[in-house]
Amino acid sequence: MSLTLTLATVLKKPVKNSYHVVLVDDNSQTMGQLTSELQTAVSRLIEASRFKGKLADTAISYGTDNNTGLLLVGVGSQDKLNGGSLQKIAKAIYASLSSLTKSAVISLGDSMDEVSFGQLALALLNQSYTFDIYKSQKADKPTLKDVTLLVSADNQPAFDTLLQLQHATAQGQSLTKDLANQPPNVCFPAYLAEQAQSLANQYPELLTVKVLGEKDMQQLGMNCFLAVARGSAHEAKLVLLEYNGKAAKKDKNSKTKGKKSSLEQPIVLVGKGITFDSGGISLKPGLGMGEMKYDMGGAAAVMGMIKALCEARLPLQVVGALACAENMPSGTATRPGDIVTAMNGKTVEILNTDAEGRLVLCDTLVYVQRYQPKVIIDMATLTGACIVALGYVRSGLYSNNEDVIFELEQASESAYDRVWHMPLDDDYQEQLKSNMADMQNIGGMPAGSVTAACFLSKFVEDIPWAHLDIAGTAWQSGKEPTATGRPVPLLMHYLYRQAAQDAV
């Protein structure tokens, strides 16, 4: 992350070679408190450029070696300002100044509430992300490094706390994007395990890692998980990251394999980590298959969340579980029609090997219950059906607990990482009935995202649980696909609220 945001209540003196950013609405009203000199300069630039203040429109007056430049950015109607428009504003600011200056000042004053401020700050921080490590000819590095946000003295304490949270969130999102953007010949299960250990080495006082291999899974009876990996040359891994934000130091021996966790009723985050999904024997179409490297977006998000937690040092106990495997066709691959026994003893008839995410997740959900968690939240690029239902805007939210639904919905709105509550009616379970086993792993075309969530619900007993289907939100598809880092902002706001509740 190459951009740093700082807060100030007054600008003591103009910064040479800097730019002052002023937000202007469609009535030519400026946001933030401006000096009379700056207000005059803004009025002149509005008149000279015929600036209308439309959303994300810009007008610029270039600075010199001794003078500060001026950038106007339109916000449209102030009463319609939301997370989406703030992202467009942040993009316009960064696009205008990233290669023009080293520093900038944005006047906000008391014109933004905490939610809008946090959304703008995170959007600005995310603008500086790039992934070009495999390009032999790299683009010029942006010069913009420091942005000062001018706010009112009354808002500064709350905004400062929120800004620290958003810096941590942005770092977590960047790690999530880095992992998901890696090619599948680099990022396979063992690579994710190595990255988890590297992360633990950065924060030894907060984080420990345990990795289960296929022999461990066989002993535990995790046959659904193993069924997915049977066709691949890469060994499956279940990676467990234990974050103890309530402990100042940790015993070095806690990294010893198999040692009982010292965490008490942690929040558990589970991520689907299919590092490449060919569909297995139920082979996917070739067109667009290259984007199936993003099928580990859930695991990448969990690791990014742990990174953000370590940066923010929230006083929580959290376990991140990465269910990592590669789904490939081969002579040893699972066949449609195979029946396997899950870790909890339930039998599953696998009718479609491309419905593999729920298979690695179901055994992982059973395993993490040994932590006696306060709540389990899993996230997975699980179904194309969720994209049909919700597109690329909202993640699907399923849960067996009304309080968890409410808390995640509230966090999603404040983070502008939005979700939509989807049904889990028992009637949908009928589609998963098998005449050969306890259940089958697909429920047919109708309500495909719902039946996938219903399948997972069979493996969570008497514990508050939520499932996030992020198939449409974990990455941007198309000509220039790239990871989004979602749902790290949603979960970071959720955990921040949990920490605040615990402190009361």
Side-chain angles (χ1 to χ4, degrees), residues 24-26 51-58 73-76:
V24 184
D25 69 14
D26 52 10
F51 188 69
K52 301 299 183 183
K54 293 182 180 180
L55 180 62
D57 279 357
T58 60
V73 180
V75 302

Side-chain angles (χ1 to χ4, degrees), residues 381-459:
T381 51
L382 204 62
T383 66
C386 193
I387 302 176
V388 174
L390 299 176
Y392 303 98
V393 177
R394 292 180 183 258
S395 301
L397 168 62
Y398 300 85
S399 181
N400 62 3
N401 185 281
E402 291 293 331
D403 290 337
V404 174
I405 292 169
F406 176 78
E407 290 163 356
L408 285 171
E409 285 180 331
Q410 293 296 304
S412 81
E413 292 300 325
S414 63
Y416 202 72
D417 185 358
R418 293 167 293 169
V419 298
W420 191 257
H421 179 205
M422 300 284 280
L424 265 180
D425 304 61
D426 287 341
D427 294 348
Y428 290 107
Q429 298 280 4
E430 294 292 321
Q431 294 175 230
L432 295 171
K433 285 188 174 180
S434 166
N435 67 333
M436 297 290 179
D438 294 332
M439 70 193 82
Q440 58 192 39
N441 76 323
I442 55 171
M445 185 176 292
S449 179
V450 178
T451 55
C454 286
F455 179 90
L456 295 178
S457 72
K458 292 175 178 288
F459 297 88

Side-chain angles (χ1 to χ4, degrees), residues 176 180 271-274 293-302 379-381 470 474-475 486-487:
T176 296
K272 173 187 172 185
I274 303 298
K293 69 177 187 176
Y294 291 114
D295 211 21
M296 42 68 72
V302 170
M379 59 217 72
T381 51
I470 58 173
W475 83 93
R486 295 175 65 182

Side-chain angles (χ1 to χ4, degrees), residues 72-113:
L72 306 183
V73 180
V75 302
S77 176
Q78 287 197 42
D79 59 2
K80 294 181 179 180
L81 203 61
N82 59 31
S85 54
L86 289 166
Q87 289 177 356
K88 292 177 180 178
I89 291 166
K91 184 176 181 179
I93 293 171
Y94 194 79
S96 299
L97 300 181
S98 62
S99 299
L100 192 62
T101 181
K102 292 182 179 179
S103 61
V105 176
I106 305 176
S107 291
L108 297 178
D110 57 1
S111 57
M112 282 190 178
D113 58 20

Side-chain angles (χ1 to χ4, degrees), residues 342-361:
M343 185 178 172
N344 65 352
K346 294 180 179 179
T347 56
V348 178
E349 183 181 13
I350 301 174
L351 296 180
N352 188 332
T353 63
D354 194 25
E356 85 299 327
R358 66 201 70 182
L359 297 177
V360 298
L361 288 175

Side-chain angles (χ1 to χ4, degrees), residues 133-352:
I133 63 175
Y134 294 104
K135 288 183 175 289
S136 56
Q137 293 184 344
K138 305 184 190 308
D140 293 338
K141 290 185 178 181
T143 58
L144 183 61
K145 299 295 182 184
D146 301 297
V147 175
T148 300
L149 304 172
L150 289 182
V151 300
S152 68
D154 290 340
N155 286 338
Q156 187 179 18
F159 283 14
D160 185 61
T161 299
L162 190 53
L163 186 56
Q164 292 179 44
L165 177 73
Q166 298 300 53
H167 268 112
T169 302
Q171 290 191 55
Q173 276 192 274
S174 292
L175 177 58
T176 296
K177 294 174 188 177
D178 283 346
L179 294 172
N181 284 329
Q182 287 286 353
N185 61 314
V186 172
C187 182
F188 42 85
Y191 174 84
L192 289 176
E194 291 168 1
Q195 296 305 303
Q197 188 58 63
S198 177
L199 188 63
N201 293 340
Q202 295 176 42
Y203 307 96
E205 75 283 9
L206 294 170
L207 193 60
T208 58
V209 171
K210 180 169 69 174
V211 179
L212 302 185
E214 292 187 359
K215 289 184 178 179
D216 302 303
M217 296 182 197
Q218 288 170 0
Q219 292 175 358
L220 291 164
M222 303 176 75
N223 298 303
C224 286
F225 200 132
L226 290 168
V228 177
R230 281 182 59 186
S232 174
H234 293 293
E235 183 181 3
K237 304 286 184 183
L238 175 56
V239 183
L240 301 155
L241 301 101
E242 299 178 355
Y243 167 84
N244 193 344
K246 294 183 178 181
K249 293 182 180 180
K250 285 196 166 203
D251 184 349
K252 293 181 180 179
N253 292 328
S254 63
K255 294 182 182 180
T256 302
K257 184 176 178 180
K259 182 171 181 179
K260 185 178 178 181
S261 170
S262 61
L263 304 185
E264 297 179 359
Q265 289 196 302
I267 296 170
V268 174
L269 307 176
V270 176
K272 173 187 172 185
I274 303 298
T275 56
F276 187 77
D277 183 17
S278 69
I281 297 297
S282 306
L283 194 66
K284 290 178 179 291
L287 184 64
M289 194 191 289
E291 292 187 18
M292 287 303 97
K293 69 177 187 176
Y294 291 114
D295 211 21
M296 42 68 72
V302 170
M303 188 132 36
M305 269 303 313
I306 299 297
K307 166 75 172 181
L309 277 172
C310 291
E311 285 293 315
R313 294 182 175 268
L314 293 184
L316 294 169
Q317 292 182 322
V318 179
V319 174
L322 283 57
C324 306
E326 185 181 54
N327 188 23
M328 297 290 284
S330 76
T332 60
T334 294
R335 297 157 291 254
D338 285 358
I339 295 177
V340 295
T341 304
M343 185 178 172
N344 65 352
K346 294 180 179 179
T347 56
V348 178
E349 183 181 13
I350 301 174
L351 296 180
N352 188 332

Side-chain angles (χ1 to χ4, degrees), residues 288 290-291 294 392 475-482:
E291 292 187 18
Y294 291 114
Y392 303 98
W475 83 93
Q476 296 173 357
S477 188
K479 186 179 179 181
E480 297 181 351
T482 186

